[in-house]
């Protein structure tokens, strides 16, 4: 079930409750990867892996060390070695192995059904003003070209700097985490997704592709067939589908107190997302950051109390970007800023033992572009059971929470909720560790 107020912005092949099965399959190919100790409908408890997120070595856009590029390519090749027999059942009608064109079309259809459709009513005027049409993914599906046949395998689907741990494991220098977006299909899709989401500098793309070619040639030579001609089709798809979550997240980031600086930052993110996707989507022009600010301000005005729902009554909508220069939007006072209505309060009663994790996750979703959280990829390590789960861990959690509150003044009332549940969440982790023989723990939400 979708949590109230949380955007659906990812394509999933399997349900969250099946992530434990995926982890088990990956451990066969990548020794040392986290182990699923317990799996529930809404969260899972994983073994703790000592390591540092690769993101701490360099932020998005910064060059990646050569050793890390080779290790990442090797990781993609190892994961691809997991075949369908070791994975959960695939959705009905999934393309057969080797049908690369069918796989690309299945991805476009899934993006349409899981990202565009659930959010279109809320964001249709915003996308319309930016020139992104309702049938963008449908048209991409219809234009899918013929491609070379490559053997299918497991794909991580979201391998970027925050989803990799640098460790001292003898099995692998880098270990993958967060398999919720894993899928099964053409290995070129995993390479394309990695290239785009890792945000390599442009001059490193050739080095990454060469490293992947070398690693995959050693493990599955048929997987490199048509690399030069077909990779671009998956890169185009990744850029095209990314415009939807990027724009929606940027717009949602302005729901709370937002000044002119926050508006300018959101407009810049939207402009870059549309510009990156423009060729893949066939857009005739890309509005500049100034125009985008006007579009965002119009969309927000239509959604504030007395204005938005008023959209249905008065027919107001954000102005379409036409190329005319616009004045920067006026900074709104906190009293006039729109806040999402009540679902958040109902959610608190539902959270139970893992309220700490859920509260931090809710905040991360709202300030994903403004706040760097430790283990932001979805893993909040609670340290080793026993001595490790101690003041050091609680201080780390408290520091992260204080950072959230500093960014989200209007959500400061949530501090009491989290503080009350810190001890309860710790007791749950300790109990599972005791039953599991004292192994280290990491708690992951599904």
């Amino acid at each position: 079930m979708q949590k109230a107020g949380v955007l659906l912005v990812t394509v999933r092949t399997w349900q969250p409750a099946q992530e434990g099965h995926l982890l088990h399959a990956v451990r066969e190919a990548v020794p040392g990867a986290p182990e699923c100790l317990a799996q529930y409908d809404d969260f899972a408890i994983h073994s703790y892996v000592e390591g540092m997120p690769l993101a701490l070595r360099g932020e998005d856009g910064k060059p990646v060390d050569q050793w890390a590029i080779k290790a990442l390519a090797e990781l993609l090749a190892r994961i691809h070695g997991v075949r369908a027999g070791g994975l959960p059942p695939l959705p009905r009608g999934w393309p057969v192995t080797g049908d690369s064109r069918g796989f690309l079309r299945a991805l476009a259809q899934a993006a349409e059904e899981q990202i565009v459709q659930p959010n279109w009513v809320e964001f249709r005027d915003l996308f319309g003003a930016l020139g992104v049409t309702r049938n963008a993914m449908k048209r991409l599906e219809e234009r899918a070209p013929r491609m070379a046949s490559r053997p299918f395998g497991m794909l991580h689907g979201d391998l970027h700097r925050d989803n990799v741990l640098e460790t001292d494991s003898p099995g692998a220098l880098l270990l993958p985490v967060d398999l919720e977006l894993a899928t099964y299909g053409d290995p070129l899709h995993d390479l394309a997704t990695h290239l785009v989401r890792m945000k390599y500098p442009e001059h490193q793309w050739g080095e990454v592709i060469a490293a992947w070619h070398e690693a995959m040639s050693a493990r599955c030579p048929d997987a490199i067939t048509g690399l030069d001609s077909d990779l671009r089709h998956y890169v185009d798809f990744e850029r095209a589908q990314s415009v939807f979550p990027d724009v929606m997240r940027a717009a949602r980031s302005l729901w709370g107190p937002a000044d002119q600086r926050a508006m300018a930052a959101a407009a810049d993110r939207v402009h870059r997302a549309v510009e990156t996707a423009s060729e893949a989507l066939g857009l005739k022009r890309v509005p500049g950051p100034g125009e985008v600010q006007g579009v965002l301000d119009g969309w927000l005005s239509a959604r504030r109390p007395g204005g938005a729902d008023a959209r249905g009554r008065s027919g107001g909508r954000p102005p379409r970007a036409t190329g005319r220069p616009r004045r920067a939007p006026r900074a709104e006072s906190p009293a006039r800023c729109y806040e999402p209505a009540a679902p958040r309060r109902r959610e608190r009663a539902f959270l139970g033992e893992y309220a700490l994790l859920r509260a931090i996750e809710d905040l991360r979703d709202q300030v994903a572009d403004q706040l760097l959280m430790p283990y932001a990829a979805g893993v909040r390590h609670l340290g080793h059971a026993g001595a490790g789960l101690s003041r050091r861990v609680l201080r780390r959690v408290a520091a992260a929470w204080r950072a959230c509150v500093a960014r989200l003044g209007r959500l400061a009332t949530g501090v009491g909720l989290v503080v009350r549940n810190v001890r309860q969440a710790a007791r749950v982790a300790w109990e599972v560790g005791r039953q599991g023989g004292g192994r280290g723990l990491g708690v992951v939400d599904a």
Side-chain angles (χ1 to χ4, degrees), residues 268-355:
D268 182 64
R269 291 196 297 272
V270 171
H271 167 71
R272 284 187 282 108
V274 176
E275 184 177 45
T276 300
S278 60
E279 184 176 352
L281 293 176
L283 302 183
K284 294 181 179 179
R285 67 176 300 275
V286 177
E291 297 174 75
V292 174
Q293 285 194 31
V295 170
L296 285 171
D297 190 53
W299 181 81
L300 286 170
S301 298
R303 301 194 63 79
R304 292 188 182 107
D309 295 320
R311 190 188 76 79
R313 298 191 295 270
S314 65
R317 61 178 59 218
R320 184 179 180 85
T322 60
R324 296 191 302 272
R326 298 181 182 276
R327 292 183 301 173
R330 183 183 59 191
E332 294 288 344
S333 66
R336 294 189 59 195
C337 287
Y338 174 76
E339 290 183 320
R344 245 353 133 187
R345 291 193 291 272
R346 293 196 296 270
E347 184 72 13
R348 291 175 183 171
F350 170 77
L351 296 176
E353 296 87 353
Y354 47 100

Side-chain angles (χ1 to χ4, degrees), residues 86-213:
L87 299 171
L90 290 163
R92 181 176 301 178
W94 197 256
V96 299
T97 184
D99 184 7
S100 300
R101 184 188 188 191
F103 178 65
L104 179 57
R105 298 184 67 174
L107 291 173
Q109 183 177 0
E112 165 68 22
E113 295 174 352
Q114 298 181 35
I115 300 177
V116 180
Q117 288 181 9
N119 298 298
W120 189 254
V121 171
E122 179 179 355
F123 294 97
R124 61 186 174 190
D125 292 337
L126 178 57
F127 282 115
L130 294 170
V132 179
T133 63
R134 170 67 178 79
N135 62 346
M137 299 312 298
K138 184 67 176 177
R139 290 170 56 192
L140 200 67
E141 177 187 351
E142 294 171 349
R143 297 200 310 268
R146 295 189 179 277
M147 293 189 287
S149 177
R150 286 170 288 273
F152 285 9
M154 183 180 179
L155 314 178
H156 185 284
D158 195 28
L159 195 67
H160 54 73
R161 300 172 196 239
D162 285 314
N163 280 349
V164 181
L165 291 180
E166 181 182 342
T167 74
D168 295 327
S169 170
L173 291 174
L174 299 177
L175 295 177
V177 295
D178 200 358
L179 292 171
E180 63 180 358
L181 303 186
T183 186
Y184 183 80
D186 188 340
L188 284 192
H189 172 57
D190 222 9
L191 174 59
T193 302
H194 174 63
L195 284 167
V196 174
R197 299 188 186 184
M198 191 76 177
K199 291 183 170 59
Y200 288 104
E202 187 174 348
H203 71 269
Q204 283 199 308
W205 275 48
E207 183 180 355
V208 175
I209 294 171
W212 182 89
H213 182 283

Side-chain angles (χ1 to χ4, degrees), residues 362-378:
D362 288 344
L363 292 176
R364 187 180 71 82
D365 286 343
Q366 295 181 41
V367 292
D369 297 319
Q370 303 176 33
L371 178 64
L372 176 62
M373 292 278 294
Y375 307 107

Side-chain angles (χ1 to χ4, degrees), residues 39 45 66 78 80 104-105 108 129 132 145 159 176 185 206 212 236 241 255 265 295 304 308 320 324 362 413 435 443:
Q39 176 74 61
I45 300 177
Q66 186 176 26
R78 288 192 180 195
H80 176 262
L104 179 57
R105 298 184 67 174
V132 179
L159 195 67
W212 182 89
D236 284 347
Q241 70 89 22
W255 268 11
V295 170
R304 292 188 182 107
R320 184 179 180 85
R324 296 191 302 272
D362 288 344
T413 55
Q435 294 177 4
V443 178

